[in-house]
Amino acid sequence: MNGADMNGADMNGGPGDGLDDDGLSGEVDWGDEEFDAGLLEEELRQAAAVLDPVPAELQQIAVDAYALHDLDARVAELTFDSLVDALPVRGATDVPRMLTFRAGEVTVDVEVTARGLMGQVLPPQPARIEVLGGPRPGSPLTADDLGRFTGDVPLSGPFALRLRTDEDVVVTEWLRA
């Protein structure tokens, strides 16, 4: 078959391969199954990071500005982490990570598993909770009247929780999942 496929299209830059006469890519109708917008976005981010990186000074200014985002928020200090404070159980696998944060009178107990997280705000009260982590907006969760909340999105990388109650805003320390 002299450079043509079964349909008669030239395999060397001819009709049917998405290339024009100069061998450059033209308009191609990619089906939804072939086009992955998430993959394209990630490739563009990587190219921008290499070709036009954010200056370190500007990045620091952005971090400082974000830190002022919740200036009125109280920071909940980590008071218990089962990775550090608990005794390991021999033979146990996939053990949930237990965390306790405290800010004044507010305590937040959190259990982190491979399937997500669940926790409770004490004293029991309703709250809006955001899971912070990465460049995307936080996942909203809602604590019920007993302060209980669950999230079914597995955590990866650094994360923190922002709790908004009727009285105040509390942000936990950042941890790695």
Side-chain angles (χ1 to χ4, degrees):
M1 299 189 61
N2 300 331
D5 67 8
M6 302 277 288
N7 298 323
D10 185 1
M11 293 171 41
N12 299 319
D17 66 356
L19 300 179
D20 61 15
D21 293 336
D22 297 329
L24 300 174
S25 176
E27 294 290 326
V28 177
D29 183 24
W30 295 99
D32 288 337
E33 65 279 350
E34 293 182 34
F35 182 75
D36 184 358
L39 180 62
L40 175 63
E41 180 181 356
E42 182 58 32
E43 288 180 9
L44 289 173
R45 284 182 195 277
Q46 290 175 1
V50 170
L51 299 174
D52 188 20
V54 177
E57 304 83 32
L58 181 60
Q59 191 168 13
Q60 186 59 47
I61 290 170
V63 169
D64 293 343
Y66 186 77
L68 297 175
H69 173 250
D70 277 334
L71 191 59
D72 61 339
R74 295 186 300 154
V75 176
E77 182 181 347
L78 180 66
T79 58
F80 177 80
D81 184 347
S82 62
L83 288 181
V84 177
D85 302 321
L87 295 174
V89 177
R90 186 171 49 153
T93 60
D94 198 25
V95 178
R97 183 176 182 186
M98 308 300 289
L99 304 166
T100 301
F101 300 94
R102 186 172 190 87
E105 298 299 316
V106 177
T107 301
V108 183
D109 289 322
V110 181
E111 179 179 316
V112 179
T113 67
R115 294 181 308 277
L117 61 86
M118 69 175 144
Q120 184 173 18
V121 179
L122 298 169
Q125 58 189 301
R128 291 181 319 277
I129 301 163
E130 294 175 76
V131 179
L132 307 174
R136 303 210 189 313
S139 306
L141 305 174
T142 303
D144 62 14
D145 290 338
L146 298 176
R148 300 173 299 190
F149 60 92
T150 60
D152 58 359
V153 177
L155 299 176
S156 62
F159 75 95
L161 302 176
R162 180 183 301 131
L163 293 86
R164 297 181 189 276
T165 64
D166 290 335
E167 292 86 38
D168 55 27
V169 177
V170 174
V171 178
T172 66
E173 292 182 29
W174 284 82
L175 295 172
R176 281 212 169 271

